[in-house]
């Protein structure tokens, strides 16, 4: 049970990446995607690592004191938000043809993993 949320993150990340790449393969010209500052697999990898760290810490916090899980989630999510801002800053400063698509792409991946972490945190809190 302890590692089930971690496997869920890996599964959701792989499925999300496959679907995302499939959508880009169908709808977006390859040269646009090639000019992104951060590739789609790189973003999925980074946000997967963030999510695995956050949920792993939440599992450990739950073992010690379940009352602190929510606060820990808020703290770790805030730290992740700062790191995400630092990552997106070069994209925000760029004024290239693909920049609007890259911004949308980044935020979709960010929100996808944030929703996943939130759902898993709710499950952790409900399994007393």
């Amino acid at each position: 049970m302890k590692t089930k949320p971690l496997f869920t993150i890996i599964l959701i990340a792989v499925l999300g990446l496959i679907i995302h790449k499939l959508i880009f393969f169908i709808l977006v010209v390859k040269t646009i995607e090639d000019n992104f500052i951060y590739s789609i697999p790189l973003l999925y990898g980074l946000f997967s690592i963030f999510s695995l760290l956050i949920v792993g810490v939440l599992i450990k916090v739950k073992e010690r004191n379940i009352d602190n899980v929510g606060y820990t989630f808020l703290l770790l999510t805030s730290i992740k938000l700062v790191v995400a801002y630092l990552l997106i800053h070069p994209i925000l400063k760029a004024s290239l043809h693909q920049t609007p698509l890259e911004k949308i792409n980044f935020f979709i991946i960010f929100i996808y993993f944030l929703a996943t972490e939130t759902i898993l945190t709710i499950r952790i809190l409900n399994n007393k």
Side-chain angles (χ1 to χ4, degrees):
M1 175 56 194
K2 288 182 185 180
T3 59
K4 185 178 178 185
L6 301 176
F7 288 122
T8 302
I9 291 170
I10 294 168
L11 178 65
I12 287 175
V14 169
L15 288 174
L17 176 62
I18 291 169
I19 292 169
H20 202 135
K21 289 295 282 183
L22 184 63
I23 290 169
F24 263 64
F25 180 75
I26 294 169
L27 300 176
V28 179
V29 179
K30 180 80 170 127
T31 56
I32 292 175
E33 183 184 346
D34 289 341
N35 291 325
F36 280 180
I37 294 172
Y38 303 113
S39 68
I40 294 171
L42 176 65
L43 289 175
Y44 271 89
L46 289 173
F47 284 114
S48 295
I49 291 169
F50 293 150
S51 294
L52 288 169
L53 289 172
I54 289 171
V55 173
V57 169
L58 294 178
I59 291 169
K60 291 294 183 189
V61 168
K62 180 190 175 202
E63 292 173 359
R64 294 184 180 189
N65 187 358
I66 194 164
D67 295 331
N68 291 331
V69 171
Y71 296 120
T72 305
F73 175 73
L74 290 173
L75 174 68
L76 294 175
T77 302
S78 298
I79 292 169
K80 176 184 164 185
L81 182 64
V82 170
V83 172
Y85 175 75
L86 294 174
L87 286 172
I88 198 168
H89 191 66
I91 299 171
L92 295 174
K93 289 186 112 179
S95 58
L96 304 171
H97 173 68
Q98 76 275 2
T99 301
L101 181 61
E102 189 169 7
K103 289 178 193 175
I104 292 168
N105 184 58
F106 187 92
F107 285 117
I108 287 173
I109 296 170
F110 178 81
I111 291 168
Y112 179 70
F113 280 98
L114 180 62
T116 301
E117 293 162 12
T118 304
I119 291 167
L120 290 174
T121 301
I122 291 168
R123 287 185 183 172
I124 290 170
L125 286 170
N126 284 336
N127 290 331
K128 293 184 178 182

